[in-house]
Amino acid sequence: MTGRGQASSGDLLELVRRGRATTRGALQQATGLSRATVGQRLDRLFRAGWLREGAGGPVDSPLGGRPSITLEFDDAHAVVLAADLDTRHARAAVLTLTGEILAEQGGTLVIEDGPDAVLGELGGWFAELLEKAGHRPDEVCGIGLAVPGPVDSETGRVVQPPIMPGWDGYDIRGRLSRAFTERTAGGNGGGNAGGYGGAVAVPVLVDNDANLMAYGEQRTGYADCSAFVLVKVSTGIGAGVVVGGSIFRGIDGGAGDIGHIRVGAEALCRCGSYGCLAAVASGGAVARRLAESGVPASSGSDVRDLLAAGHPEAAALAREAGRRVGDVLATVVTLLNPGVLMIAGDLAGTAFLTGVRELLYQRALPRSTARLDVVTSRLGERAGLVGAGALVVEHLYAPERVEERLLALGV
């Protein structure tokens, strides 16, 4: 907040969204603003359609009187689009501003086909999903995208991604925004509920998939956990870290890239180096070892299917991979001291988790694991979608951005 007595309309909306002040009187008390000023700033939010009145609250005065009218964030005034890209598969969805999935689909999208083709196809998916959900393109306030590589959050561009050939430095935001506009041209209707209809480009936010999975899982299931780590083990290996409710990205988006920690093996990694954790313990590495022994497998998703079918060799290799990852995670846990360590992705089953726990508890200091919960994903394949949607909402409804958007709407 900008300071007592200086709170903006965006600050008031933030207080209401967080449940910290949900009546006009509570907003006056929290901000020091006069009743008239609070009313004027709330009026802008009502005219934008971002705020609504709820039921009357309790009567605080012993003398009785009318109950205070509560204020609520109106999550029905816009929707968010989200997509989660893996190496050979993708999921996309339409979500409410509070994270409820209204429509979704999954299908084959090959990351090696390049950004122009993949993002163009996503634009078509979004158009179909909006129609399925019964929403107009002009109701979309933003798009969130999860990708399997390190992302510079300032530019939305991936930086030297080992498993995304042709994507390095590509303008993902611009291409996806154009693809959405092209595939929904003529379907904007007459409104502008999201604030970005017509010729104005829909904002696109891009982040690493493990980051957004961690963000989605932490917000929905572990909101009180101040240090949360998610490790995604699929075709590659990556980690997302949420500290104090915010994604920790490092200086340029490289935080959490544990798949390229050297573990002393001789295997060649897709990044070009030898001995990376991903080269010996990812879903892709397990698939290669299975294929060498005559078991049909080419990706982490193939390994997942074999594990689900109870394949003994796949289970043995997954447990061995878990031990490799657990050895590295002992250092991660000692460094970050998280309350929750979540294992997600194609290999996140009993065999892999058993291997992780064996080495983690053997190598990490008891002090680091005494209050640690080692768990598997709650949201499953939806984690990245929920996290991408939440990223968009938190960005667009941050107090300073609320002011910009209200001015753009002319309210």
Side-chain angles (χ1 to χ4, degrees):
M1 192 174 299
T2 54
R4 192 167 177 83
Q6 299 297 315
S8 66
S9 294
D11 291 317
L12 299 191
L13 183 64
E14 180 81 355
L15 289 169
V16 173
R17 286 183 61 226
R18 303 297 182 196
R20 296 171 185 158
T22 57
T23 66
R24 288 170 173 80
L27 288 170
Q28 287 177 241
Q29 187 173 9
T31 63
L33 296 174
S34 69
R35 179 178 179 179
T37 302
V38 166
Q40 290 168 358
R41 294 183 181 175
L42 289 178
D43 182 59
R44 300 178 70 202
L45 300 172
F46 280 115
R47 282 188 285 145
W50 299 351
L51 208 60
R52 66 187 174 204
E53 291 186 343
V59 179
D60 296 328
S61 171
L63 300 176
R66 292 189 301 175
S68 300
I69 299 298
T70 59
L71 303 171
E72 301 173 350
F73 178 59
D74 189 344
D75 66 343
H77 73 268
V79 293
V80 174
L81 296 174
D84 185 2
L85 298 180
D86 209 330
T87 52
R88 303 188 64 82
H89 187 269
R91 298 190 71 83
V94 182
L95 299 93
T96 68
L97 298 180
T98 50
E100 178 188 354
I101 292 180
L102 302 175
E104 66 179 315
Q105 76 175 66
T108 299
L109 271 184
V110 181
I111 207 85
E112 291 186 353
D113 286 346
D116 189 63
V118 170
L119 298 175
E121 185 70 14
L122 266 185
W125 285 22
F126 285 149
E128 293 170 7
L129 284 167
L130 276 173
E131 185 173 354
K132 181 179 177 181
H135 283 274
R136 303 184 311 271
D138 70 309
E139 293 179 278
V140 175
C141 65
I143 299 173
L145 178 65
V147 298
V151 176
D152 183 337
S153 60
E154 292 297 316
T155 65
R157 299 173 187 245
V158 292
V159 182
Q160 299 177 1
I163 59 175
M164 300 178 69
W167 291 71
D168 186 22
Y170 185 86
D171 181 16
I172 296 175
R173 289 176 177 173
R175 175 66 180 113
L176 187 52
S177 182
R178 289 193 304 274
F180 170 71
T181 302
E182 290 163 3
R183 298 302 289 268
T184 57
N188 280 333
N192 195 18
Y196 290 99
V200 181
V202 176
V204 176
L205 274 70
V206 186
D207 209 330
N208 171 261
D209 55 356
N211 283 349
L212 293 179
M213 290 173 70
Y215 196 47
E217 295 277 9
Q218 190 271 341
R219 286 174 59 88
T220 57
Y222 301 90
D224 294 332
C225 180
S226 60
F228 179 97
V229 176
L230 178 143
V231 178
K232 179 187 178 184
V233 187
S234 291
T235 299
I237 300 176
V241 180
V242 180
V243 177
S246 299
I247 298 171
F248 178 76
R249 299 181 176 89
I251 197 68
D252 64 358
D257 200 5
I258 65 170
H260 300 286
I261 292 175
R262 306 291 176 84
V263 294
E266 295 301 318
L268 176 63
C269 183
R270 292 182 68 173
C271 73
S273 297
Y274 286 87
C276 293
L277 179 64
V280 296
S282 65
V286 172
R288 283 193 296 275
R289 292 188 62 183
L290 286 169
E292 289 167 1
S293 65
V295 179
S298 61
S299 66
S301 59
D302 291 336
V303 178
R304 178 192 61 207
D305 294 340
L306 289 167
L307 291 171
H311 193 282
E313 189 173 354
L317 289 174
R319 182 167 179 171
E320 180 185 332
R323 288 171 60 84
R324 292 269 200 176
V325 173
D327 196 11
V328 170
L329 290 180
T331 301
V332 173
V333 165
T334 301
L335 177 65
L336 297 178
N337 190 210
V340 174
L341 172 62
M342 179 175 283
I343 307 299
D346 292 330
L347 265 61
T350 301
F352 185 85
L353 195 63
T354 298
V356 168
R357 285 177 166 147
E358 286 174 356
L359 263 289
L360 173 63
Y361 288 107
Q362 178 183 325
R363 300 291 171 83
L365 292 172
R367 168 80 174 75
S368 301
T369 58
R371 298 173 61 189
L372 175 68
D373 289 330
V374 182
V375 300
T376 53
S377 171
R378 290 186 175 188
L379 297 174
E381 292 183 328
R382 290 178 161 183
L385 297 175
V386 172
L391 184 75
V392 170
V393 172
E394 293 307 312
H395 173 80
L396 292 180
Y397 294 92
E400 64 278 8
R401 208 147 286 107
V402 164
E403 289 304 307
E404 296 173 4
R405 296 177 65 205
L406 288 174
L407 287 172
L409 288 171
V411 299

